[in-house]
Amino acid sequence: MKATASSKVKSKAKASKTTQQSPKKATNGKSKSQSPKRHFPAPWSLTGEGFLFPLFGRKSYNFEMAFLDEEDRKSFKGGLGSLMLVNYERSDVGPYYELLYIPGNFEHKGTNYKRITRIFVSSQTSVDEGIRNWAIPKERADFVWKKEGSVTKIEVARNGKSFFKIKIRTLGFHFPVSTSILPYVLLQKAEDGSKLSTAFIGTGKGKFARIESVWSDETIFPDFIKGGGIKTGIAASPFHLTFPVAENVE
């Protein structure tokens, strides 16, 4: 991985990503004289580092704990999902961190899609534009992302209280990674009831990764292991990801 905890503290360019910083002024300003809020439409181009750990969705757990609504429960099929943790070093809305949970497949008119049911990011602009562009139900949280050699420790908190902690070790040699091997087509639900489909495209340089410990407050974020999680996954550093314009699915 490129970024280290010390480099993030030293680098003024990345200071906006730390938990000590307030959200960007563009999202918080209340002055009447302030210019209209700027939007960041799709497509987005993002680069950084991150982790993906697969899960094989346990219906009994995810029905109750994966933050599904009644429509989700009716369409939920289980199968392959994932836990993702991402350090976006560059994006259309600047650098930010991300934690998300996909419990598996959801069926819509005979086709299976993935759905993000819980997601937190460190940028309020990413929250607003993620909902606007792709109906991804983002919420803001504070992140601590520390790398010490082959070990990365990540902690996520809201209102000063931690709700997720993970310790990950990378292993072995590098190899190419691509979403073409494991395609993820999202189908997210907008507030107006419409459904937006997005097939993101990514490539990068990967390594195997192993979860050494993981904990979550299940009232805020699902327990990855109870949900069917596998402790061995992929670390990508660096990667490049493109999030295209969403397609409205009838």
Side-chain angles (χ1 to χ4, degrees):
M1 303 290 180
K2 290 183 176 180
T4 65
S6 60
S7 66
K8 286 184 179 289
V9 173
K10 293 177 182 178
S11 171
K12 293 183 180 180
K14 293 188 178 180
S16 62
K17 295 177 58 181
T18 69
T19 61
Q20 303 302 316
Q21 299 298 313
S22 300
K24 297 177 185 295
K25 292 181 180 180
T27 64
N28 287 344
K30 295 183 180 180
S31 171
K32 291 182 180 180
S33 61
Q34 187 175 6
S35 60
K37 180 179 175 180
R38 181 185 174 190
H39 290 298
F40 299 85
W44 282 12
S45 177
L46 311 99
T47 59
E49 62 179 351
F51 301 94
L52 184 152
F53 294 97
L55 67 84
F56 293 92
R58 293 175 181 164
K59 287 188 177 182
S60 58
Y61 179 83
N62 287 296
F63 272 146
E64 300 301 324
M65 304 302 294
F67 297 85
L68 310 185
D69 61 23
E70 192 57 36
E71 182 183 352
D72 290 333
R73 291 188 181 96
K74 290 178 181 178
S75 63
F76 181 56
K77 300 301 178 183
L80 182 63
S82 62
L83 171 74
M84 295 187 194
L85 303 109
V86 189
N87 169 8
Y88 291 113
E89 296 174 343
R90 293 184 182 85
S91 82
D92 290 60
V93 294
Y96 66 94
Y97 296 107
E98 180 174 82
L99 164 70
L100 68 85
Y101 186 84
I102 298 173
N105 295 315
F106 294 81
E107 184 180 2
H108 179 68
K109 295 186 176 180
T111 300
N112 283 337
Y113 298 89
K114 309 297 180 187
R115 181 168 298 155
I116 299 169
T117 62
R118 203 63 168 158
I119 177 170
F120 291 91
V121 296
S122 61
S123 159
Q124 187 60 43
T125 308
S126 177
V127 170
D128 298 338
E129 298 303 298
I131 294 170
R132 177 186 177 90
N133 291 330
W134 304 284
I136 296 175
K138 295 183 179 183
E139 298 181 49
R140 209 198 74 79
D142 299 314
F143 287 68
V144 175
W145 186 297
K146 295 181 179 179
K147 187 182 175 210
E148 302 168 355
S150 62
V151 174
T152 302
K153 297 177 182 178
I154 302 163
E155 184 172 349
V156 190
R158 192 169 63 172
N159 300 321
K161 183 179 179 181
S162 296
F163 64 85
F164 181 88
K165 297 179 183 179
I166 193 168
K167 180 180 178 182
I168 304 165
R169 184 178 298 275
T170 55
L171 309 164
F173 53 88
H174 286 98
F175 50 84
V177 292
S178 171
T179 54
S180 63
I181 299 173
L182 189 65
Y184 268 55
V185 181
L186 299 176
L187 187 69
Q188 303 293 149
K189 301 183 296 182
E191 290 183 359
D192 63 3
S194 61
K195 292 181 172 61
L196 300 182
S197 173
T198 311
F200 59 87
I201 303 164
T203 58
K205 189 172 163 183
K207 267 190 172 185
F208 289 109
R210 176 80 177 170
I211 294 175
E212 295 197 340
S213 63
V214 60
W215 168 86
S216 62
D217 177 343
E218 292 173 88
T219 66
I220 301 176
F221 195 84
D223 185 304
F224 172 64
I225 302 302
K226 291 180 183 178
I230 307 299
K231 289 187 176 181
T232 299
I234 300 295
S237 177
F239 70 80
H240 179 263
L241 189 66
T242 300
F243 248 84
V245 175
E247 177 185 352
N248 198 318
V249 177
E250 298 297 333

